[in-house]
């Protein structure tokens, strides 16, 4: 299917290339506001080579397209056109890019994988460190709470200990008999002389 070029339709703008690999790349673009675009057409050409590859798609609103079967370490030129019901727009400004070596692509991929792995390991280490810090804080809080509880118990027992000491001191100040009674005089007091026992004298004959 052929399309006539219509100058009433503006060419795509902001044509860029991304995800460039040894054998593939992605071209993207923007459409000027108000253009009745129903599709796109892309011409792909090797530098200094007359052969072209033509890619066309209609009934789509996509603004990007994958380029495949590219050759490594090769320069390419890409043009993009918009398609409307009345025809195609003029060509966009040429976009030039170069594909890298396959080895460079693999090296770049490996570096990205290593970087993501390092990020994951760092995240895991930080999470582990945070858990350890929380556990230590909880342990310290428990030790402090236990110390405060023991201190309160000792403080509450101090008045009782003082009372026991005072009681023991007062009891020790009064002499006691070994049997538990108070020490008393061995000789009874005689208040009246009449209560004296009579003395008896025995004489042998």
């Amino acid at each position: 299917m052929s399309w006539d070029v219509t100058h009433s339709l503006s060419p795509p703008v902001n044509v860029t290339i991304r995800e460039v690999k040894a054998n593939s790349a992605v071209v993207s673009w923007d459409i000027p506001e108000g253009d009745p675009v129903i599709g796109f057409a892309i011409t792909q050409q090797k530098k200094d080579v007359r052969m072209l590859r033509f890619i066309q798609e209609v009934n789509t609103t996509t603004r990007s397209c994958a380029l495949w079967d590219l050759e490594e370490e090769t320069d390419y030129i890409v043009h993009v056109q918009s398609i409307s019901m009345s025809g195609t727009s003029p060509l966009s400004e040429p976009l030039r890019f170069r594909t890298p070596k396959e080895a460079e692509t693999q090296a770049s991929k490996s570096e990205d994988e290593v970087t993501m792995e390092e990020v994951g390991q760092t995240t895991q280490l930080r999470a582990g460190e945070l858990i350890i810090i929380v556990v230590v804080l909880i342990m310290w809080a428990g030790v402090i709470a236990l110390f405060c509880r023991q201190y309160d118990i000792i403080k509450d027992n101090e008045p009782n200990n003082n009372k026991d000491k005072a009681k023991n001191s007062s009891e020790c100040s009064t002499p006691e008999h070994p049997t538990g009674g108070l020490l008393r005089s061995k000789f009874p007091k005689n208040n009246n002389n009449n209560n004296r026992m009579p003395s008896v004298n025995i004489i042998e004959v």
Side-chain angles (χ1 to χ4, degrees), residues 87-107:
T88 61
S89 71
L91 294 173
S92 66
E93 294 293 330
L95 175 65
R96 294 176 174 82
F97 68 96
R98 181 178 177 84
T99 55
K101 285 184 179 181
E102 181 68 25
E104 293 177 357
T105 303
Q106 294 295 332

Side-chain angles (χ1 to χ4, degrees), residues 66-156:
L67 307 178
W68 65 94
D69 289 340
L70 305 180
E71 297 179 7
E72 61 179 345
E73 292 190 286
T74 304
D75 294 314
Y76 287 91
I77 302 174
V78 173
H79 294 86
V80 183
Q81 290 175 284
S82 295
I83 299 176
S84 68
M85 294 299 295
S86 58
T88 61
S89 71
L91 294 173
S92 66
E93 294 293 330
L95 175 65
R96 294 176 174 82
F97 68 96
R98 181 178 177 84
T99 55
K101 285 184 179 181
E102 181 68 25
E104 293 177 357
T105 303
Q106 294 295 332
S108 176
K109 182 178 180 181
S110 299
E111 289 178 359
D112 292 339
E113 291 177 352
V114 170
T115 302
M116 292 300 296
E117 184 176 357
E118 290 177 350
V119 170
Q121 292 177 353
T122 303
T123 304
Q124 292 178 356
L125 289 174
R126 290 180 179 175
E129 292 173 356
L130 182 61
I131 292 173
I132 292 173
I133 292 172
V134 171
V135 171
V136 171
L137 290 176
I138 292 174
M139 291 177 64
W140 270 108
V143 171
I144 292 172
L146 181 61
F147 174 79
C148 293
R149 183 178 179 186
Q150 293 294 330
Y151 177 78
D152 291 338
I153 293 173
I154 294 172
K155 189 174 180 181
D156 292 339

Side-chain angles (χ1 to χ4, degrees), residues 15-55:
V15 181
T16 56
I17 195 75
R18 55 187 173 87
E19 300 179 21
V20 180
K21 301 178 181 179
N23 305 114
S24 65
V26 176
V27 60
S28 59
W29 62 90
D30 293 326
I31 299 298
E33 186 177 358
D35 285 352
V37 176
I38 62 171
F40 64 87
I42 296 175
T43 56
Q44 170 191 321
Q45 178 184 3
K46 291 182 182 180
K47 186 179 180 181
D48 301 329
V49 177
R50 297 180 63 86
M51 185 177 63
L52 297 174
R53 173 185 286 177
F54 188 74
I55 303 170

